[in-house]
Amino acid sequence: MHIESTTPVAGVETRTIDMVPEHERHGAPRSQFTLWFGANMQITAVVDGALAIVFGAEALTAIVGLLIGNVLGGIVMALHSAQGPRLGLPQMISSRVQFGVRGAALPLVLVILMYLGFAATGTVLSGQAINRIFGVAAPEFGILVFGSLTALVAVVGYRLIHVVGRIATVVGILGFGYLAFRLFAQHDVASAFGQKPFTVSTLLLTIALSAGWQMTFAPYVADYSRYLPTRTTIASTFWTTFSGSVIGAQLAMTFGVLVAALGGNFLKNQVGFMGELAGPTIAVLIYAVIVTGKLTVNCLNAYGGFMTILTTVSAFNNRTQISPRARMLYIVGFVLVSMGVALLASADFLNNFKNFVLLLLAVFVPWSAVNLVDYYLVSKEKVDIPALYDCNGRYGAYNPVALGCYVLGVVVQIPFLNQAMYKGPIATMLGGADVSWIVSLVVTCLVYYPLAKRTMKVPATMIYPQGAVRPGSAPTAHPTAPVATSEARQPA
């Protein structure tokens, strides 16, 4: 295993895909609330809520469906977050337990595409807001400015991202609170309700929209809880993450439902509509609110994108760290690619975004199912951390059981899908209702659990890197010899 020297740069995070040692742990669980509230109380979540109306839902049905989906997806997302303090690892590194050191690259490639997609859509909207602040027409200007801000914050890293999240929380509450006041003052909000009949299919679709929104955070949510002290309880990490993400998303999505149902030009010009709603004297401040909220989540995308790329590459070159300069180049390169995608996607933003969100749900539900079932029910929080960086270790290079269950979880959804690109026969029989993600979640869990119980090589206790201190005890070194199968299996 090769470990490259990392020379600290003042104020810049140096940890990458390695475990965060106890002496570097800091903070309190409440930091998870502000980070995830700020990341969700932003304009893309407003657009996601508006999509429920675009897809034909009645306003009250949309709000209720979005709430159900946010709660269900938020539970999954927060369960991933609770792994952070215990393991001190980035989320996608810990997925090597299930998929193998190199096998984890399959879902990782899809995660990278997700980060690029969300980073690009956020850059489109933020670029529009920046252009309006400075009175510039060329979209390249706003995209360049916002991309530069994203790269700067992501390069500095964890601490600054949390600071931006706290600022975004305060700014988001004030900004969207004012917009809500203006909306009720200028419009007959009651008229948004009852415009269409209730249908089960549109309810299920809105649930899928918000559940998918929450689950897309799952592959990187533990990246931001891994610096919490190991004494942090699962419950405190879970509830602060869950409440911040669900409350922030639901407020923003409800606002999106109302502005879309009331008509106007929101669906054609999201940023412009919010400026007009605020009024000419406050519009610039609202544009700043948009940029601040999007900066939080875009930094998560850039940071997570860099970590995911590094996780994929390190599976094949056996590195556990990279130099600060290489880290910076990874992040800047990711941001540049996302800016390029933003320039291509800006012409038809809403149509591109709605197809993108629903596609993500299909590929991340089975990944979450495999990861959570193993962590909480099979491995039961016992992980051989050094083996996560060794293809010849406990978890091997590839785990065919987990990979097979993941592929099954994707394939089983096909007949149930109802998307712009494809509508499955069972979705047609159900009147257009898309329950594919529910089917995938159930099937993947039921198939993976008994197979994993028989095949996973679970250590008797958590194994830490050599020299790392186990909470409440003396240091435990990683055994140099391979662990025998009889010793590695979880007792029945």
Side-chain angles (χ1 to χ4, degrees), residues 98 370 399-406 447-448 451-452 455:
Q98 298 84 42
V370 168
N399 184 343
V401 169
L403 290 168
C405 289
Y406 173 76
V447 174
Y448 177 73
L451 293 176
T455 60

Side-chain angles (χ1 to χ4, degrees), residues 27-68:
R30 62 178 178 272
S31 65
Q32 302 303 302
F33 177 89
T34 53
L35 177 67
W36 294 107
F37 186 96
N40 282 274
M41 191 70 169
Q42 42 95 359
I43 190 171
T44 314
V46 175
V47 173
D48 198 64
L51 287 179
I53 301 300
V54 173
F55 286 143
E58 186 272 332
L60 182 59
T61 302
I63 293 171
V64 172
L66 291 169
L67 177 60
I68 295 172

Side-chain angles (χ1 to χ4, degrees), residues 46-55 125 196 256-257 259-271 273-274 348-351:
V46 175
V47 173
D48 198 64
L51 287 179
I53 301 300
V54 173
F55 286 143
L125 294 174
K196 303 170 185 175
V257 168
V259 296
L262 289 170
N265 68 339
F266 177 77
L267 297 177
K268 295 180 180 179
N269 183 5
Q270 297 82 24
V271 173
F273 174 88
M274 295 177 75
D348 192 13
F349 167 74
L350 193 62
N351 189 52

